[in-house]
Amino acid sequence: MASNRFSEYDCDGLIEVGKLITGSADAVVAQMRSWSGHPNQDIRGVVMKSLRILFKFLQDMWTDARMEYSRKKCGSGDLGKDIGSNFPSSPANPQDPL
């Protein structure tokens, strides 16, 4: 199996990475919600596009971290379960968190 960006992390490190990713995703979603009502559509559009790109990047990182966690047989093998997160299935639509 090809290594991913987290292949050098041990189980404890992967748990910390998972917490950082999910915390960051929560912050991005909060920003998206706060910007969704901004009266200037041009500014709102640029900010929202940037936040969606960042959210997608976090989803990709989460996928890599989960695969590595499972591959190394850490904990239950399910990083989301072990840190109490359902990211990226939360928010309801991971493609558009609003």
Side-chain angles (χ1 to χ4, degrees):
M1 175 180 276
S3 66
N4 70 35
R5 70 183 98 203
F6 300 114
S7 61
E8 295 182 21
Y9 286 73
D10 64 8
C11 294
D12 291 336
L14 289 166
I15 287 172
E16 292 306 311
V17 164
K19 290 177 183 177
L20 287 169
I21 292 169
T22 57
S24 298
D26 288 345
V28 169
V29 170
Q31 284 299 308
M32 291 176 107
R33 288 189 176 129
S34 73
W35 276 94
S36 67
H38 194 278
N40 185 319
Q41 288 183 334
D42 293 335
I43 292 172
R44 181 178 65 223
V46 169
V47 170
M48 293 296 277
K49 182 177 181 178
S50 298
L51 290 170
R52 282 188 177 96
I53 290 168
L54 180 55
F55 191 80
K56 176 64 174 127
F57 174 72
L58 290 167
Q59 284 180 307
D60 292 345
M61 288 182 62
W62 177 248
T63 298
D64 286 352
R66 285 180 54 220
M67 286 178 14
E68 191 64 20
Y69 192 80
S70 176
R71 186 185 72 76
K72 289 186 175 174
K73 298 177 178 28
C74 299
S76 72
D78 182 344
L79 180 57
K81 178 181 173 184
D82 290 351
I83 65 171
S85 173
N86 60 353
F87 176 76
S89 62
S90 173
N93 181 351
Q95 300 307 314
D96 186 6
L98 296 176

